[in-house]
Amino acid sequence: MVKKKGLVIAIDGPSGAGKSTVARRLAKRLGYTYIDTGAMYRAIGWKAKQEGIDPANETALAGLCGRIQVLLTNDADDPRIAVDGIDVSEAIRTPEMGMTASAVSKSPAVRARLLSLQRDLGARGGVVMDGRDIGTVVFPDADVKFYLDASPEERGRRRYRELSAKGMAVDLDRITRELRERDLQDSGRAIAPLKRAEDALLIDSSDREIDEVVEAMLANVMQKGNK
Ligand code: DC
């Protein structure tokens, strides 16, 4: 029996709802580790692209999963991710890599590979993990679960601002369209689709400031943690 050193907090929701920002802040406030599972799917997508693997080619993806090494460094202010020794933290943050990640995330081999990695990382507790299936599949018994949502328009605007601030030439209509496409793909897939766990607290962040959302989450964590 592994001795737990804190709670497992799951945050799921669609792209651009603000999961990573609030998850990172929440982890910092609690002294927990933040684990960005989307970055792992992006990292596998990045490697598949490098190797010219079609995301629909399950055999090739399974082969890749057998040899790929995905390493996370969990500095609260600057979490990094490396694939086979190459730091891909910035390279995976493009809209194209978002779509590629979504495409490879349908693969049973990819999901199985990352599921075991994510369970290992969260086994001892003290983690805030964000993604699409954390409260439903990865940690169905998570101590606290949130489902963070926002309207597609607001999510599109946020993504647009985020990418523009990095100096990327982006188009708001295109970003919003791709976001909707990704929502459909992520919630429509056969294995571990995006959906709210029945026991997850739904938070709509459309009209709320980040800090307000973090405070609401903290209050909920304190309540659950004291039970
Ligand atoms: O959170 P993100 O935008 O970085 O995630 C990229 C893609 O990875 C997302 O569109 C679907 C996939 N993903 C997933 O299937 N399961 C997760 N737990 C996290 C991400």
Side-chain angles (χ1 to χ4, degrees), residues 37-38 41-42 101-102 105 111 131-134 182 186 189:
T37 65
Y41 286 94
R42 286 172 183 260
S102 178
S105 75
R111 297 215 76 85
R132 304 291 188 289
D133 61 338
I134 311 305
R182 203 133 71 87
D186 293 344
R189 69 175 170 236

Side-chain angles (χ1 to χ4, degrees), residues 8-12 35-38 40-41 110-123 127-145 189 191-193 195 197:
V8 171
I9 302 174
I11 305 182
D12 290 305
I35 299 169
D36 175 358
T37 65
M40 300 178 187
Y41 286 94
V110 170
R111 297 215 76 85
R113 172 78 168 80
L114 292 183
L115 178 65
S116 73
L117 181 61
Q118 291 156 8
R119 285 195 175 147
D120 283 350
L121 289 169
V127 293
V128 179
M129 198 175 276
D130 79 348
R132 304 291 188 289
D133 61 338
I134 311 305
T136 50
V137 173
V138 183
F139 286 107
D141 297 327
D143 301 286
V144 190
K145 298 181 189 178
R189 69 175 170 236
I191 314 173
K195 68 168 182 227

